[in-house]
Amino acid sequence: MRKIAVCPGSFDPITYGHLDIIERASMLFDKVIVLVSFNSQKKPSFTIDERLDMIHAVVRCWDNVVADCWDGLLADYLKERQATAIVKGLRAVTDFEYEFSMALANKKLYPDAETVFLTTSQENMYMSSSLVKEIARLGGDISTFVPPQIHDMIKSRLRKI
Ligand code: PNS
């Protein structure tokens, strides 16, 4: 049976931190779906289509990775796609409580799937989409945080005039 994993997130925008987790997930599972999902606590800067375009541009190097979007419950998407794992990256301890409560809720909503946490690589420990956006807005260099394929798109959309 093919093992399908979902990497959900806001991806606003996708960063090297996300890509590290996605690449490692692609080595553990037969198929990985990078899922742009709805987070009620965030107000995204990029539209769903923009975020999907950026993801498509940077995941095409992996044969078993695809991108999709979903505005419902993650658990329902997993059921529909017969995915058995949610893969998330864990950075510092600050991520833990939030991620732990989501993992427990998803387990209740869909007991057939497991949440798998991958520890972030050391160099991505303090990287986040919010940080990348702030640096880009203030004219800083984001080239160590995001791949070249999406660098200019992020800069031109966020740069303060
Ligand atoms: O990158 P983020 O914003 O930290 O990711 C959070 C996300 C989008 C994965 C989470 O909010 C989510 O799963 N949203 C989908 C809706 C849902 O299922 N909510 C209940 C989660 S237990």
Side-chain angles (χ1 to χ4, degrees):
M1 206 179 81
R2 269 161 57 84
K3 294 274 180 207
I4 302 174
V6 173
C7 285
S10 300
F11 302 108
D12 187 49
I14 193 164
T15 67
Y16 277 132
H18 297 123
L19 288 168
D20 169 46
I21 300 298
I22 292 163
E23 179 175 28
R24 286 156 59 200
S26 77
M27 291 186 254
L28 296 172
F29 294 93
D30 298 310
K31 179 176 175 180
V32 172
I33 305 173
V34 181
L35 190 69
V36 178
S37 320
F38 175 71
N39 182 342
S40 57
Q41 289 163 28
K42 290 186 182 168
K43 208 169 164 290
S45 306
F46 295 93
T47 66
I48 296 215
D49 283 344
E50 285 172 332
R51 286 180 269 162
L52 267 179
D53 283 351
M54 286 191 273
I55 295 170
H56 283 134
V58 295
V59 303
R60 58 170 61 114
C61 49
W62 299 302
D63 289 343
N64 62 339
V65 179
V66 296
D68 198 3
C69 61
W70 181 251
D71 64 0
L73 273 178
L74 177 59
D76 290 339
Y77 185 88
L78 292 163
K79 259 182 240 173
E80 201 173 290
R81 293 303 174 106
Q82 296 181 313
T84 51
I86 300 164
V87 176
K88 303 247 29 203
L90 267 190
R91 289 167 300 186
V93 273
T94 43
D95 282 346
F96 187 74
E97 214 167 317
Y98 170 63
E99 295 294 349
F100 196 66
S101 62
M102 279 200 293
L104 290 177
N106 282 320
K107 188 73 184 161
K108 281 254 187 272
L109 292 167
Y110 185 42
D112 289 350
E114 296 292 339
T115 298
V116 177
F117 290 114
L118 300 181
T119 47
T120 194
S121 306
Q122 225 168 345
E123 61 271 25
N124 298 323
M125 191 98 170
Y126 297 103
M127 189 189 305
S128 69
S129 298
S130 320
L131 202 67
V132 170
K133 286 188 284 188
E134 184 167 322
I135 296 168
R137 273 192 194 107
L138 298 172
D141 179 9
I142 57 166
S143 58
T144 55
F145 303 122
V146 299
Q149 300 96 305
I150 61 172
H151 174 277
D152 291 354
M153 147 77 175
I154 297 170
K155 287 288 269 191
S156 61
R157 276 278 273 98
L158 299 179
R159 182 82 171 95
K160 271 189 177 169
I161 302 160

